[in-house]
Amino acid sequence: MKKSTLLYYCLAFGSVISCRSNDEILPASQAEVHNKTVDVTHHDGRPFSTGNGSSTAKFVAGPGGGVLMQGFYWDVPAGGTWWDTVRGKLTDWSNAGIGAVWLPPASKAQNGPYSMGYDPTDYYDFGNFNQNGTVETRFGSRTELEALITKAHEENMQVYADIVINHNSGGQSEYNPYTGSNTWTNFSGVASGKFTRNYNDFYKNSYGNNDEGSFGDFPDLCHANPYVQDWLWGRDDSVAKYYKNVMKFDGWRFDYVKGFGPWVVNNWNSSVGGFSVGELWDSNVNTLESWANNANSSVFDFAAYYKMDEAFDNNNLNALNDDMMWKRNPYKAVTFVTNHDTDIIYNKMLAYAYILTHEGYPTIFYRDYEEWLNKERMNNLIWIHNNKATGTTSILYTDNDEYIARRNGYNGNPGLVVYINNSSSWQERWIQTNWAGKQIKDFTGNSSWYPTTQGDQWVKIQSPPNSYSVWSLNQ
């Protein structure tokens, strides 16, 4: 979604909260949540003092799985350098335990060298045709994009494409008999020569007045039109198959899925497979779950996003008891702390401690990792997620300032206990573990305790002020 139109969208829909296949390949981070057997190799790339092992191995999924990096932010530097910037970071990301990167919309858009890609014109121009005032996109050339994807695969990472198929921009004016006026719907001259469009491929047209929702004043693609379906996912050189088979993308992030029916994503996924996640900007967990089931796709867990803001920024950790998508179906929940469109959580390290120790597929925001937060602490949480965050979740204690939860472990992996403390002083609690007579330690290094659990599995643990600790067997 384009930030410049975010305010319009919020006003149109009444609130910030509502502002925005069987062939599906699940990310490794969701693989063992509910005792689903997966053949994985333990990741020994421990970045620092959490244990022994190499810190230079390419990403290999551990028992807790992997982590997704959002590999951009709004208004990344223009000038065609971004693909090279991301490519230069992939080895470090892989070493840290990040298993996939989500890229911004990669094809040529109306605003040419300045566009963030959310106003797509030509789905097959990746910076190799001279149109909309440029050959390269804002992010670089097709050659540089392909080099990035190749490098990611060499690092054993997946690459997810941001797919904008609700609306188009950059067409020429033509007379539209269904509106009785001219509309900007003539895309017959796209430089690639693929997926040419005219007024009957957009609403209003012979198929009706609109689908689920238009976005701003952009022409709204008509997914009911078989011609549009064929070009999006049906034919051998469709957008979906070209991205998958030629450009070698591994999965999809679907922009603004409120604008079209979930059957569109379902058909796309059935046609090409790969991981997929939808941007359904809604805090209602019933809405998120219904869309994910009907789309046969994961969905961003906006329910958890707003509950984390309430919990960590408004001193109400009891809010974490409320319903969230990851609690409904962790296989289809992609959790996040911020993204290119919205950044409301202030206590971000507490939020990352939450999503990187809980079920679901956690996303890290580029600027949080590379610029704003402590990278060593982030890498520590990533290692904990990949190596210790296994099994179902049991919430052990909550009040306004404290939250303690237990991951119950799976297939020989002991799981963990996470203690988040939003108060201004050290806190201690007796809690029940799954371990009897075992020494445990805090894998964040925030506590120096090495307590031994009692025969009844109870133990006292602690957490520092405005911080967290993560406990597991000392092994």
Side-chain angles (χ1 to χ4, degrees):
M1 180 182 293
K2 305 205 322 295
K3 184 177 285 187
S4 60
T5 53
L6 180 59
L7 178 59
Y8 165 86
Y9 184 62
C10 295
L11 294 174
F13 283 79
S15 75
V16 172
I17 289 180
S18 63
C19 173
R20 280 259 293 190
S21 70
N22 291 333
D23 294 324
E24 180 182 7
I25 299 174
L26 293 172
S29 57
Q30 300 172 9
E32 297 181 316
V33 167
H34 281 162
N35 297 351
K36 179 178 180 180
T37 301
V38 176
D39 183 16
V40 297
T41 303
H42 284 224
H43 175 51
D44 292 323
R46 306 188 181 204
F48 47 94
S49 61
T50 52
N52 297 321
S54 167
S55 61
T56 60
K58 292 178 173 57
F59 172 77
V60 178
V67 174
L68 171 62
M69 172 67 75
Q70 179 175 354
F72 66 100
Y73 53 92
W74 195 261
D75 284 348
V76 301
T81 62
W82 192 249
W83 296 147
D84 287 341
T85 296
V86 172
R87 181 166 59 90
K89 296 184 180 296
L90 292 173
T91 298
D92 287 343
W93 292 352
S94 174
N95 291 343
I98 294 167
V101 56
W102 152 33
L103 299 181
S107 63
K108 191 68 60 66
Q110 181 181 13
N111 206 25
Y114 307 106
S115 177
M116 284 296 296
Y118 292 92
D119 50 341
T121 299
D122 188 341
Y123 289 104
Y124 297 84
D125 179 1
F126 297 93
N128 50 307
F129 293 102
N130 189 357
Q131 63 180 330
N132 294 356
T134 183
V135 174
E136 291 192 345
T137 68
R138 181 190 190 102
F139 313 114
S141 69
R142 174 171 176 155
T143 299
E144 291 163 343
L145 172 61
E146 290 174 322
L148 186 165
I149 295 171
T150 298
K151 177 65 173 177
H153 291 160
E154 289 172 352
E155 297 293 341
N156 204 24
M157 298 174 69
Q158 292 198 329
V159 185
Y160 303 154
D162 201 314
I163 299 296
V164 186
I165 54 172
N166 176 73
H167 51 273
N168 288 172
S169 189
Q172 301 301 307
S173 178
E174 64 180 347
Y175 180 73
N176 186 336
Y178 297 96
T179 64
S181 61
N182 276 32
T183 52
W184 299 96
T185 49
N186 182 356
F187 291 80
S188 62
V190 291
S192 69
K194 294 180 178 293
F195 195 14
T196 59
R197 287 144 279 164
N198 63 29
Y199 61 80
N200 205 42
D201 302 315
F202 300 87
Y203 291 107
K204 298 181 171 182
N205 60 10
S206 61
Y207 295 90
N209 292 334
N210 63 276
D211 55 358
E212 277 72 6
S214 59
F215 182 77
D217 294 323
F218 293 120
D220 186 19
L221 265 177
C222 174
H223 302 93
N225 186 338
Y227 175 83
V228 173
Q229 296 175 26
D230 201 33
W231 269 105
L232 286 181
W233 64 77
R235 52 190 289 154
D236 288 343
D237 60 346
S238 65
V239 174
K241 292 174 183 174
Y242 195 92
Y243 275 58
K244 183 73 177 292
N245 300 327
V246 178
M247 299 303 295
K248 305 300 183 183
F249 282 101
D250 304 289
W252 328 101
R253 180 267 186 187
F254 289 96
D255 181 68
Y256 185 56
V257 297
K258 281 190 173 183
F260 47 89
W263 64 270
V264 173
V265 173
N266 196 323
N267 285 359
W268 178 296
N269 290 339
S270 296
S271 176
V272 298
F275 172 77
S276 79
V277 58
E279 182 218 22
L280 182 65
W281 198 320
D282 199 306
S283 66
N284 188 316
V285 68
N286 294 317
T287 303
L288 297 173
E289 182 182 35
S290 175
W291 184 89
N293 290 339
N294 287 306
N296 190 24
S297 172
S298 295
V299 66
F300 283 107
D301 195 346
F302 277 93
Y305 175 69
Y306 287 105
K307 289 302 176 184
M308 286 191 292
D309 179 49
E310 181 180 347
F312 301 127
D313 292 346
N314 295 285
N315 295 100
N316 180 23
L317 268 60
N318 287 308
L320 300 179
N321 291 316
D322 293 343
D323 207 359
M324 304 173 193
M325 183 62 195
W326 72 259
K327 297 182 182 182
R328 296 283 185 95
N329 188 344
Y331 296 103
K332 293 186 180 296
V334 178
T335 52
F336 67 102
V337 173
T338 188
N339 63 32
H340 60 295
D341 277 334
T342 179
D343 188 2
I344 62 173
I345 296 174
Y346 177 75
N347 283 318
K348 286 185 176 181
M349 284 307 304
L350 300 188
Y352 277 112
Y354 181 79
I355 69 169
L356 287 163
T357 55
H358 283 65
E359 294 164 76
Y361 187 16
T363 307
I364 292 177
F365 183 54
Y366 179 95
R367 300 196 84 169
D368 285 344
Y369 185 81
E370 291 291 342
E371 300 176 18
W372 293 341
L373 300 179
N374 183 301
K375 187 178 290 188
E376 183 172 318
R377 295 183 70 193
M378 292 291 287
N379 284 343
N380 173 242
L381 285 171
I382 292 167
W383 184 90
I384 288 169
H385 171 270
N386 291 358
N387 291 275
K388 300 295 184 183
T390 61
T392 56
T393 303
S394 300
I395 298 176
L396 304 180
Y397 179 83
T398 63
D399 61 23
N400 285 346
D401 295 324
E402 298 173 63
Y403 173 89
I404 307 175
R406 184 179 70 222
R407 293 295 298 276
N408 292 304
Y410 170 70
N411 197 27
N413 185 280
L416 57 80
V417 173
V418 56
Y419 190 166
I420 299 176
N421 175 16
N422 204 24
S423 76
S424 58
S425 60
W426 281 85
Q427 299 295 332
E428 302 174 0
R429 291 282 168 191
W430 282 92
I431 53 98
Q432 187 172 26
T433 70
N434 292 321
W435 317 305
K438 299 291 186 180
Q439 187 182 71
I440 65 173
K441 74 172 185 177
D442 171 19
F443 277 78
T444 71
N446 289 330
S447 171
S448 60
W449 286 7
Y450 285 80
T452 298
T453 61
Q454 299 181 156
D456 60 3
Q457 302 179 330
W458 283 79
V459 70
K460 181 187 281 189
I461 59 175
Q462 64 175 185
S463 182
N466 301 305
S467 191
Y468 53 87
S469 54
V470 182
W471 304 79
S472 189
L473 296 184
N474 184 18
Q475 62 183 33

